[in-house]
Every structure is written in C-alpha cells, then in structure tokens.
Amino acid sequence: MIAVELRLMLRRRRVWLCWVLLCALPTLVAILLAATDLTPPPGSGGAFLSAVVTNGQIFPAAALALVLPVFLPITVAIVSGEAIAGEATAGTLRYLLVRPVGRLRLLTAKLISVAVYVLLAVLLVTVVSYVVGVLAFGFGPDASLGGGGGIPSLSGATLTPVDVVVRTGVTVGYLALCMLALGAIGLFFSTLTDAPLAATLGVLAVVVASAALTPLDAASAIQPYLPTTHWLAWIDLYRDPILWDPVRRGLLVEGGYVVVAFGAAWANFATKDVTS
C-alpha cells in the first residue's frame, strides 16, 4: 500500500511542478545577487543572504529561509489537502476501501507519502541551492588554501565546511518534521471534505492565523503552541555553540501536531460514511 501511494505521488505532475517552483525561487535569487552584487545589509532581508556572496556553501540555509514562510507551506497544503479528498473527488476512494485495505492502513500510507514529499522537497531545495550557490559565489575567499574556507556562524565564530554540512543535515530533518506537522493537519482536513481545494485552504488558513497570532501580545499564552512559532528555530543550529533549547521545543510541538492531527484524521475517517 505504501509503495503504491509513493508511486502515485511521483507520477503526479503537480508534485514535480511544486518541487521545480521551490528550487526556482532560490536559483533566481542567486542569479540576481551574482549579477548585481547587491545584498541586503546584515540584519535585514532574508536570513544568511548578506553572507552568501562571500561563500556559496551557506546558500542552502538562505534558500531554506526563502521558501519556508510561503512557498513550502503552500506546496505541502496542496499535496496533503488532496490526500483523501482527491480520491473522493476522483471517485476512487470507495473502491479503495472495498478492497481489503483498512482505513488506518490507508491513512498511514497517505501520511508516509506526505512525509516523503516534504523530505524530498527540503532535500531538493538544499542540494540545488548548494550547487547554485557554489557556482555563483564559490567556496569562499580561503578556498585556494585547500578544502574550502571557513564559514562564519551567526555568533561570529568560524565553522568548517564539515560543520555546515552536518548542521544543514539536521536542519533538513527539522524542517521536514515542521512541514510534516502541516501535512498531518492537511490530512485531517482532507478527511472532512470531498473537495481538495477546501482542504488546502484550511491548511493555509491555519498557517495565516498562526503567523498573525505569533507577534500578538494578547496571544502570548498560546504562542509556544502555534505551529509556525518554531519554524525558524533551525537558524540557531548555525550558531556556535548551538542553541538547542528552541530546537527541542520545536521538535516537541511539531511532533505533537503530527500525532494529534493524525489521530483526529483517523477518528474522523474511521467513522465516516464514504459514498464517493
């Protein structure tokens, strides 16, 4: 069942289009920065953008910061929103359940499919932006000394290329979990409706509401539990020493969303009268 869902996901053109668009934005930004040599001053613009012109190896971090607020959540909302609702719209959901496929097994396969999508999306942005960043900006001013130059951290200390690779790998896993939490919410909405667009809009409404409440003082009591509050905690991975507390809190909150949203999806789908 899982293999079938993964094959179906990889055959969908919209999935590939989402990946292409995610990689296209950082590529365009890199081309503009390389062509104009105009970067935001430190402390303004996207995270890490002011440093990428001196070392292209840090561009994956800048690329992830670029796609995270809007483009990545939109693509996750699209893919997760059609997980169940898309089958209902196409008229295949009832036939899937007629076969000896339990509803929990089907939901699990759908969640794993969404998880693979988000992991590949973050990985593709990271790999493509690394290649583009190195081609556009090089390995840094000390690359001629062998093995690539040191890379400044957000705390001012110098990181080795190996340090950056390890921290970027942890960042990929962290962001994949954050987007999986959003995907689990989308899966829940997908069990509530037969319209994929409605489920997608539901996910985006959660993102917009969370982003609007995060800076609001009146919502301080619930801010630590909002899904978007911890999305940028991965930036602390590029400090030396690493600030682990925000990352740990983010892992707990986002993991909690996965569990709760998937449980809600199962509770609704298990008792749902499927007629589509």
Side-chain angles (χ1 to χ4, degrees):
M1 188 68 189
I2 295 174
V4 171
E5 287 298 326
L6 292 177
R7 285 197 297 269
L8 288 175
M9 180 195 70
L10 293 174
R11 289 175 183 172
R12 293 190 176 105
R13 292 183 180 179
R14 67 177 67 88
V15 168
W16 289 94
L17 179 60
C18 288
W19 284 336
V20 169
L21 292 176
L22 284 173
C23 295
L25 176 62
T27 301
L28 176 61
V29 171
I31 293 173
L32 292 174
L33 290 177
T36 62
D37 202 26
L38 297 175
T39 59
S44 64
F48 303 99
L49 277 182
S50 59
V52 296
V53 293
T54 60
N55 198 316
Q57 296 178 87
I58 202 66
F59 190 63
L64 291 173
L66 284 171
V67 301
L68 178 60
V70 178
F71 289 95
L72 190 54
I74 288 177
T75 64
V76 174
I78 292 172
V79 172
S80 62
E82 70 168 7
I84 299 297
E87 299 281 6
T89 299
T92 56
L93 182 57
R94 181 172 54 184
Y95 297 103
L96 274 175
L97 297 177
V98 167
R99 297 160 53 190
V101 176
R103 297 193 180 195
L104 178 58
R105 184 181 176 190
L106 176 61
L107 271 181
T108 302
K110 293 290 186 181
L111 183 67
I112 292 175
S113 176
V114 173
V116 171
Y117 168 80
V118 298
L119 181 59
L120 288 178
V122 178
L123 274 175
L124 282 172
V125 171
T126 302
V127 172
V128 170
S129 59
Y130 180 83
V131 174
V132 171
V134 168
L135 290 176
F137 309 113
F139 289 95
D142 299 324
S144 59
L145 300 179
I151 302 168
S153 70
L154 293 178
S155 303
T158 300
L159 303 177
T160 67
V162 174
D163 286 334
V164 173
V165 170
V166 172
R167 295 174 190 224
T168 301
V170 177
T171 297
V172 168
Y174 181 81
L175 287 181
L177 177 62
C178 291
M179 291 301 104
L180 180 59
L182 204 60
I185 294 173
L187 185 63
F188 168 61
F189 283 133
S190 191
T191 65
L192 297 177
T193 177
D194 291 345
L197 180 58
T200 298
L201 291 177
V203 178
L204 296 180
V206 170
V207 174
V208 172
S210 177
L213 291 173
T214 297
L216 193 64
D217 291 338
S220 59
I222 63 172
Q223 282 171 358
Y225 310 103
L226 295 174
T228 60
T229 297
H230 304 280
W231 281 5
L232 294 179
W234 62 272
I235 291 178
D236 290 325
L237 294 171
Y238 290 90
R239 303 185 189 276
D240 193 32
I242 296 174
L243 302 180
W244 285 108
D245 284 345
V247 177
R248 291 191 190 99
R249 288 194 295 269
L251 290 173
L252 289 174
V253 172
E254 302 299 339
Y257 270 104
V258 173
V259 174
V260 172
F262 181 75
W266 174 76
N268 179 68
F269 191 56
T271 59
K272 183 177 182 178
D273 185 16
V274 176
T275 58
S276 301

